[in-house]
Amino acid sequence: GAVVSQHPSWVICKSGTSVKIECRSLDFQATTMFWYRQFPKQSLMLMATSNEGSKATYEQGVEKDKFLINHASLTLSTLTVTSAHPEDSSFYICSARGGPEGYEQYFGPGTRLTVT
Amino acid sequence: AQKVTQAQTEISVVEKEDVTLDCVYETRDTTYYLFWYKQPPSGELVFLIRRNSFDEQNEISGRYSWNFQKSTSSFNFTITASQVVDSAVYFCALNWGGGSEKLVFGKGTKLTVNP
C-alpha cells in the first residue's frame, strides 16, 4: 500500500518547451502533495506544497510562473516546467501525504528532466 | 531556523562491518519529527523510520537501529553487519510542529558497502 507514481520517469526536451510531470497516489487519497528538486549528488529541496483544490504554496526563490503546479484531485498533482532551460535539468520528486497512518510522506520514484 | 546536518559525505565499509551514520538537527520547536530515508541508485526514496520528539527510545529493526538523543540533538542510524545491498545515499530529515508539513533534508551520506 501507499504507492506514489510519477510519469514520465525521464524526459528530454528542447530549450523553450514546456514539460508536464504527473504525480499520482495509487492506493490512497492525498490532500497534500509536495514537489522536490534534487541536483546531482545533492539533497532534496522543497519547491512547493500542493493542496487539493487550492493554489500551491511555493518556497522562497521558486518561480511560480515557471513551475506551475495543479492539484486537481485527491490522487493527482502535476508540475509543469514552462519554457524550460538547461539549468532546469534536474531530478524532480513528488511526495504525497497520507497512507495508512495519515501523516507519512510517500515519495514517488522521481522524474529525470534533461533540457537540451 | 530548521536545519539538518549530516557531516559524513561518503562512507565506505567492507561487508559485515557495522556503520553509523550521523545526523544532527536544529529546531526551536518542542514538537518535531525526525526521519531517515534511503535513496538507492534507482533514485526512489525509501522511508526507514519516523521518530517524534517526545519519544527518545532507541529503536531496532532487524539490522537497523536508531539512537535519538535530544541532549545532543542527534538522531544517528546504525547498520549492523552491513551488506552490499545497503549501498545507497541515506538522508536524515526534520519536520517540525506548528502545522508545518515540510521536510527539511540533510545533504545525505553516501554509503558504499564493498564485498
Side-chain angles (χ1 to χ4, degrees):
Chain A
V3 177
V4 176
S5 70
Q6 278 184 247
H7 178 79
S9 55
W10 60 270
V11 57
I12 301 173
C13 72
K14 291 187 176 180
S15 189
T17 61
S18 296
V19 174
K20 180 185 283 187
I21 303 170
E22 292 186 350
C23 176
R24 293 181 184 273
S25 56
L26 297 184
D27 49 3
F28 66 99
Q29 292 185 332
T31 54
T32 304
M33 289 185 171
F34 304 86
W35 287 95
Y36 295 84
R37 183 175 183 176
Q38 185 180 29
F39 289 107
K41 298 186 180 181
Q42 294 191 25
S43 188
L44 284 77
M45 298 298 294
L46 179 66
M47 297 175 66
T49 302
S50 165
N51 290 298
E52 186 264 339
S54 62
K55 290 183 179 181
T57 302
Y58 290 81
E59 294 300 299
Q60 192 172 9
V62 177
E63 298 176 60
K64 301 178 184 182
D65 296 331
K66 182 165 190 61
F67 299 101
L68 300 178
I69 293 173
N70 187 317
H71 194 156
S73 75
L74 287 172
T75 59
L76 173 63
S77 177
T78 60
L79 167 68
T80 301
V81 183
T82 63
S83 187
H85 291 285
E87 56 265 32
D88 299 324
S89 298
S90 188
F91 192 52
Y92 292 88
I93 306 174
C94 74
S95 71
R97 188 172 185 269
E101 298 190 32
Y103 57 72
E104 291 300 343
Q105 280 192 38
Y106 294 93
F107 286 82
T111 296
R112 190 162 302 281
L113 170 64
T114 301
V115 184
T116 60
Chain B
Q2 329 295 338
K3 185 179 178 181
V4 175
T5 301
Q6 294 180 256
Q8 304 150 309
T9 305
E10 295 192 37
I11 300 176
S12 182
V13 299
V14 177
E15 209 169 16
K16 298 185 182 178
E17 283 185 26
D18 298 346
V19 59
T20 295
L21 309 181
D22 298 333
C23 173
V24 174
Y25 62 92
E26 293 178 31
T27 179
R28 292 181 180 176
D29 289 86
T30 55
T31 302
Y32 52 90
Y33 303 88
L34 295 162
F35 300 78
W36 276 96
Y37 289 89
K38 174 182 179 180
Q39 187 177 41
S42 62
E44 185 166 359
L45 279 172
V46 178
F47 167 80
L48 296 178
I49 191 171
R50 174 187 190 263
R51 170 69 73 227
N52 75 57
S53 54
F54 299 107
D55 182 1
E56 286 193 75
Q57 280 193 339
N58 291 328
E59 182 156 340
I60 298 175
S61 176
R63 296 184 296 108
Y64 296 168
S65 62
W66 291 269
N67 185 350
F68 177 28
Q69 291 195 343
K70 289 178 75 171
S71 61
T72 56
S73 298
S74 64
F75 187 43
N76 296 337
F77 172 33
T78 298
I79 302 175
T80 304
S82 60
Q83 299 176 2
V84 173
V85 293
D86 296 327
S87 297
V89 179
Y90 290 86
F91 290 97
C92 181
L94 168 69
N95 168 244
W96 57 99
S100 172
E101 300 173 316
K102 300 178 185 179
L103 277 175
V104 170
F105 285 83
K107 293 188 175 182
T109 297
K110 182 179 180 181
L111 173 65
T112 301
V113 181
N114 298 298

